Amino acid sequence: GKGTEVTVILPFKVNSQVVECETKVLKKTGQMKMLSERRNSENLLKGKKILLAEDNELNAEIICQLLAMEGADAVLAGNGREAVEIFKQSGEQCYDAVLMDVQMPVMNGYDSTRAIRGLDRPDARRIPIIAMTADAFAEDIQKAKEAGMNAHVAKPVDMKLLSEALREVVGEREDTIV
């Protein structure tokens, strides 16, 4: 009378839309049953350019690949100071968002965010910046907001949560640009 339920979610592109196919495999008393559900969602990150500040090479590679699967292009900065320099040297409105690791060498994510926010250009004050850190207590989220970050995503990064955060802050940004 007991069974096993396994859920597999496979994202793939179909015509410019992402289709998530969720397949549930139910195994009961030797019989297999598959239930599939398709959910269409517009790929709102397609064509977006994201500045990723991440010092861990493996994390950076994974996040870059996950962003590419969502249709976004990522530019990698290996530390906070490099992120500030890349942003400073870019043209206005070059980036749609910044993903900022909090614990990095040379300059941490909080200081990097403050430096970007302090630049003398309008997009520096509006660019969505999302904190990415293993520190996920309420005081850590508050500290990120106080530094000027728009959102907080806990590590290890769950792409579904990161995508939702990006869609929310990028969507807010697009609503405010006239």
Side-chain angles (χ1 to χ4, degrees):
K2 294 185 180 180
T4 303
E5 181 177 325
V6 178
T7 302
V8 179
I9 298 174
L10 303 169
F12 55 92
K13 293 181 183 179
V14 177
N15 294 331
S16 82
Q17 289 190 337
V18 170
V19 175
E20 233 177 50
C21 182
E22 184 175 314
T23 303
K24 292 186 178 184
V25 180
L26 302 173
K27 182 179 179 184
K28 291 198 180 203
T29 62
Q31 295 181 348
M32 300 286 282
K33 184 178 179 185
M34 293 183 69
L35 306 170
S36 294
E37 174 187 328
R38 288 173 52 144
R39 295 185 302 245
N40 290 326
S41 64
E42 263 189 61
N43 195 346
L44 299 176
L45 298 180
K46 185 176 182 174
K48 301 297 182 194
K49 192 169 181 182
I50 310 294
L51 176 58
L52 171 62
E54 173 63 65
D55 64 311
N56 181 294
E57 288 181 29
L58 181 59
N59 287 347
E61 184 178 335
I62 290 168
I63 293 168
C64 285
Q65 288 179 358
L66 292 171
L67 288 170
M69 287 172 54
E70 291 285 324
D73 292 319
V75 173
L76 179 62
N79 64 58
R81 181 163 300 163
E82 192 177 318
V84 174
E85 287 305 313
I86 290 171
F87 187 85
K88 190 187 297 187
Q89 293 174 11
S90 70
E92 282 199 39
Q93 308 300 328
C94 177
Y95 295 102
D96 296 289
V98 178
L99 298 178
M100 185 72 71
D101 183 15
V102 171
Q103 297 177 10
M104 291 183 289
V106 184
M107 181 184 277
N108 69 42
Y110 300 127
D111 293 338
S112 181
T113 297
R114 287 184 194 98
I116 289 172
R117 296 287 187 225
L119 294 174
D120 187 27
R121 47 190 264 197
D123 65 331
R125 290 178 284 285
R126 287 194 313 259
I127 184 85
I129 301 177
I130 299 174
M132 296 186 309
T133 178
D135 302 328
F137 293 107
E139 58 266 16
D140 300 309
I141 295 169
Q142 183 60 36
K143 193 173 179 182
K145 288 187 183 230
E146 288 170 359
M149 296 177 177
N150 303 78
H152 182 282
V153 175
K155 284 184 175 181
V157 174
D158 176 332
M159 193 56 198
K160 183 177 180 183
L161 295 175
L162 180 59
S163 292
E164 288 172 9
L166 276 167
R167 285 184 179 107
E168 185 176 313
V169 296
V170 169
E172 286 175 4
R173 180 176 188 231
E174 289 177 348
D175 291 342
T176 61
I177 296 174
V178 179

